[in-house]
Amino acid sequence: MDTSVRGAGLQSYDPTYDPLVSPGPGRNQEYAPTYWVGTAGPPPGDDGPIDGDRDVDVAIIGSGFTGLATALFLAREHGIKAAVLEANRVAWGCTSRNGGQGQNASGRLYRSQWIERWGKDVARRLDAEIRGGFNTFSELVAQIDCDAQPGGHLYIAHRDKKMAFLRSEGKLMREQFGYDTRILSREEVHRDYVRDEEASGALHEPDGISVHPLKLAYGYIRMARQHGATLHPASGVTGWRTEGGRHLLQTPGGVVRARTVAVATGAYTAASLHPSLAGRCYPVLSNSIVTRPLTDDELARTNFLTHEAITDTRTLRFYYRLLPDRRVQIGSRSAVTGADARHPRHEKLLIDGLYRKFPPLRGIGIDYSWWGWVDVSHDMMPRIVQPDPAQSVFYALGYGGNGVSFSAHAGRRMAERVAGRTDPAFTLPIYDSPLPLHALAPFRRLGQALLYRWYYLKDEVL
């Protein structure tokens, strides 16, 4: 039964929300004004807010990609019908605010860094798991109308000196992991892909599917509910205690008593939600803009022949692509605090980046501008774990901005762990230990601001 309360009792979107200082993500807030929200169409039905005390086998906190995928796989593959609890509207957090780039990746580390950290054997096993995750994502995308744009990933060298890194990484990916990577010259990038004036060349990776993320999330919702999962917006967890082996989750409408809890809240995790989560992810803001549709002349002058995912080699990288309706989307990191997120200089950073890359677009109208929080782990890799074997609590967090594709597989793996299944992959680093602590996270903001200045010098000057 659809008891959705869309449009009823919605609260205004708070653009200054900050996970480090705000008490929680709010209750039944409207979406951020993203292009995805503006073009996804009406949300699918849900099961309404929690409206009284109830017992469930599994409660999933968070209705983004990870929470929805966990609910879907629990129901479809294990016969467990979970209740998904969401504080605001469905897919309110990063799932409706990201760039929609689904890459064959997870976390922020390159494959060469996997080898440095864990050795070749573990790196190859981890690559097989991440590649399997991309297959999980691809299979779901094929079942959902989400404006999928396959073709791979174009990794642009924004300065000449970055080509040595791309050549080295591309060679390692070919020789150690069997990928059909290609190094492209500036001329090849301009002729065959896009006239990005910053490009000194590029590394082309064959795996990549860009999507409309909110349409994809809506598809996850429909599939999960068809298999028996329930979805409850305006039902954020405001209190959590454990008694007699049951987790008592306080929501505005009643207490949900759950045998098991799976946390999938990403960067929108309230600091007080549960002790196992405190200080485990550091929230970082990412901004995004979308232009008006390009004219025929603008398309010809920018030579946008590709719709695939594009990123550049900056530490604070730009991510961008041509959308199906001929708009350009571009995003990057920006503000350090939520209080500063609305300052015009952060949007200007993206506009200036767009103009540098594509001078013919100078002065083009910007139709959408927004920002959202990204969950960054201290060691730049995610975790899908049961942090304390004595407690039936699990979480999947820490994607570092690479969660569009791997979140699908993280949901599948978290569902397996909730269902009590075992797998040899669970000895891999992303499954066998909790997220490391970010010590004194509120005070790291000063360090983050200083790092951003250093990254700018490193990316643009030195």
Side-chain angles (χ1 to χ4, degrees), residues 69-81 136 139-140 143 223-224 226-229 412 415:
T70 303
L72 169 60
F73 287 117
L74 273 173
R76 193 171 77 180
E77 298 184 348
H78 307 287
I80 299 172
K81 299 175 181 179
T136 296
E139 290 164 3
L140 289 175
Q143 301 171 55
M223 294 167 69
Q226 285 170 3
H227 285 87
R412 170 173 265 166

Side-chain angles (χ1 to χ4, degrees), residues 374-385:
V374 176
D375 52 328
V376 178
S377 68
H378 188 58
D379 65 356
M380 301 298 177
M381 290 296 285
R383 295 296 192 284
I384 303 90
V385 299

Side-chain angles (χ1 to χ4, degrees), residues 75-319:
R76 193 171 77 180
E77 298 184 348
H78 307 287
I80 299 172
K81 299 175 181 179
V84 181
L85 307 178
E86 168 59 51
N88 298 296
R89 301 196 71 178
V90 296
W92 176 84
C94 196
T95 292
S96 59
R97 310 187 199 201
N98 62 75
Q101 294 191 359
Q103 299 177 26
N104 182 16
S106 183
R108 304 299 298 174
L109 298 185
Y110 304 108
R111 281 163 175 78
S112 60
Q113 293 171 308
W114 296 355
I115 292 174
E116 291 173 8
R117 183 170 293 186
W118 298 299
K120 287 183 180 179
D121 289 343
V122 170
R124 289 191 180 110
R125 291 179 57 224
L126 183 57
D127 175 73
E129 178 68 6
I130 303 300
R131 197 180 301 210
F134 186 77
N135 290 338
T136 296
F137 170 71
S138 302
E139 290 164 3
L140 289 175
V141 167
Q143 301 171 55
I144 297 169
D145 181 8
C146 58
D147 301 342
Q149 296 175 305
H153 171 225
L154 194 63
Y155 198 5
I156 297 282
H158 77 287
R159 298 174 70 183
D160 287 344
K161 72 175 189 176
K162 291 294 184 178
M163 285 301 296
F165 161 72
L166 293 184
R167 290 189 185 97
S168 175
E169 201 68 24
K171 179 180 179 183
L172 180 140
M173 291 180 70
R174 285 194 308 274
E175 295 180 354
Q176 298 295 332
F177 301 101
Y179 288 103
D180 183 21
T181 57
R182 291 183 294 124
I183 292 294
L184 306 172
S185 67
R186 174 181 170 88
E187 292 71 27
E188 288 172 314
V189 172
H190 284 189
R191 183 191 68 210
D192 300 331
Y193 293 90
V194 63
R195 191 171 182 84
D196 181 339
E197 294 298 344
E198 285 193 319
S200 294
L203 168 65
H204 189 270
E205 301 177 53
D207 298 314
I209 304 174
S210 292
V211 296
H212 188 301
L214 195 53
K215 288 184 179 180
L216 181 62
Y218 286 174
Y220 286 5
I221 290 169
R222 293 185 182 99
M223 294 167 69
R225 292 186 74 227
Q226 285 170 3
H227 285 87
T230 61
L231 176 60
H232 305 279
S235 300
V237 175
T238 58
W240 180 343
R241 68 184 192 277
T242 304
E243 295 179 0
R246 286 258 180 175
H247 301 282
L248 279 62
L249 307 178
Q250 180 68 56
T251 76
V255 175
V256 176
R257 294 179 291 265
R259 294 185 184 278
T260 301
V261 178
V263 179
T265 42
Y268 294 82
T269 307
S272 60
L273 184 60
H274 192 268
S276 67
L277 302 168
R280 298 293 174 173
C281 277
Y282 187 74
V284 174
L285 273 173
S286 185
N287 278 35
S288 197
I289 58 173
V290 172
T291 70
R292 63 152 169 78
L294 271 59
T295 64
D296 290 344
D297 180 64
E298 288 165 341
L299 274 175
R301 294 173 68 195
T302 55
N303 204 37
F304 249 117
L305 301 176
T306 183
H307 285 273
E308 64 191 77
I310 309 174
T311 55
D312 70 21
T313 48
R314 288 175 169 87
T315 308
L316 302 179
R317 68 183 58 177
F318 285 94
Y319 52 92

